[in-house]
Amino acid sequence: MIHFLQVDSTAVAGQVAEKAAEVKEKLTVFELVFSGGLIGQIIMSVIFVLLFFAIYLYIERLLAINAASKIDANFMNNIKLNLTNGKIAEAKMLCAQTNSPVARLIEKGISRIGKPLEDINTAIENTGKLEIYKLEKNVSMLATISGAGPMTGFLGTVVGMVISFQKMAESGSNKIEMSTLSEGIYTAMMTTVVGLIVGIIAYVGYNHLVTKTDKVVNQMEAKVVEFLDLLNDPA
């Protein structure tokens, strides 16, 4: 009977030790990130704010660009059919019911039917500039964050080194313990690592959005050329 109690007590003690180790490990990770003192914590907070905005901007722009790239495969065929039959109002209505940059460009061109082709082309180009601006809205912020993230991290590195040398100077001893320098070292290392991670995420996200935007712009240009060819030869 006593033997079983000893076994149970040992098992319980082992479970408690494992849970304590898990809690310690979690605390260690948190402390590893925010263990650089007040200045280091402020710099890390700024870097995490940049990370939040980078992820938010990337997701928001990605959804907007994906939505802009979607258009019915039969859209231009229906436009051609309506214009060929002289149903200009129906063609404009179809464009108004289609929420895409291509539809808005075609609608602007249809509204200028009857005027010289050069005027129609100019009106479409001006509308296209506005649509491209909408697609590229806030994308440049990702490029800014891709540079600001690492720079903020390097600022933490310099601050960390300053803190370490300050501790060394204050010690006034030839023998310096690592615990004295730990705050500055943590600030220097962690801010650099996290800042570079934020910069990489923002940089990759920016280039991906630029590529997606270029594809939408090429789609717009192709549909506009198709529309202008249709006006030159409606039959």
Side-chain angles (χ1 to χ4, degrees):
M1 184 68 175
I2 295 176
H3 174 70
F4 287 125
L5 290 176
Q6 290 177 343
V7 172
D8 293 339
S9 299
T10 304
V12 172
Q15 293 176 357
V16 171
E18 290 178 358
K19 292 182 179 180
E22 292 177 359
V23 173
K24 183 178 180 181
E25 182 179 354
K26 293 179 181 178
L27 291 176
T28 302
V29 173
F30 179 81
E31 291 174 355
L32 183 63
V33 177
F34 293 98
S35 60
L38 179 60
I39 298 178
Q41 291 172 3
I42 293 174
I43 294 176
M44 288 297 296
S45 298
V46 172
I47 294 175
F48 276 107
V49 169
L50 292 176
L51 175 61
F52 169 78
F53 276 109
I55 295 174
Y56 170 78
L57 290 172
Y58 173 75
I59 295 176
E60 189 272 334
R61 284 293 85 199
L62 181 63
L63 294 176
I65 294 172
N66 285 338
S69 64
K70 294 179 181 179
I71 187 171
D72 187 0
N74 294 321
F75 174 76
M76 290 305 299
N77 291 332
N78 293 330
I79 292 294
K80 181 178 181 180
L81 181 61
N82 286 322
L83 293 181
T84 302
N85 295 327
K87 298 179 180 180
I88 297 179
E90 286 79 356
K92 291 183 65 176
M93 181 64 66
L94 177 60
C95 292
Q97 293 174 349
T98 304
N99 184 22
S100 72
V102 170
R104 287 187 283 272
L105 294 181
I106 301 303
E107 182 180 10
K108 178 61 67 174
I110 293 175
S111 66
R112 295 294 191 273
I113 288 180
K115 296 184 178 182
L117 191 62
E118 183 178 352
D119 293 344
I120 297 176
N121 189 29
T122 301
I124 293 176
E125 286 182 355
N126 292 334
T127 304
K129 292 178 182 178
L130 295 176
E131 294 297 331
I132 294 174
Y133 172 78
K134 293 178 183 178
L135 291 174
E136 295 177 344
K137 181 181 178 182
N138 295 330
V139 173
S140 60
M141 288 295 295
L142 274 178
T144 302
I145 293 175
S146 69
M151 289 176 65
T152 306
F154 294 147
L155 173 62
T157 301
V158 175
V159 171
M161 293 297 99
V162 170
I163 293 175
S164 296
F165 284 115
Q166 182 184 12
K167 297 293 185 181
M168 292 171 61
E170 291 177 351
S171 65
S173 175
N174 294 329
K175 184 178 180 181
I176 301 174
E177 297 181 359
M178 288 302 298
S179 59
T180 305
L181 306 178
S182 61
E183 179 179 320
I185 294 174
Y186 275 129
T187 301
M189 295 298 99
M190 288 308 302
T191 54
T192 301
V193 171
V194 179
L196 287 173
I197 291 174
V198 172
I200 292 171
I201 292 174
Y203 181 76
V204 173
Y206 169 77
N207 283 283
H208 182 236
L209 292 179
V210 169
T211 301
K212 298 279 289 185
T213 301
D214 288 342
K215 290 182 179 180
V216 176
V217 172
N218 291 334
Q219 182 188 56
M220 292 164 55
E221 292 176 349
K223 297 301 181 183
V224 167
V225 170
E226 186 177 350
F227 172 73
L228 294 176
D229 289 342
L230 176 61
L231 294 183
N232 284 328
D233 186 16

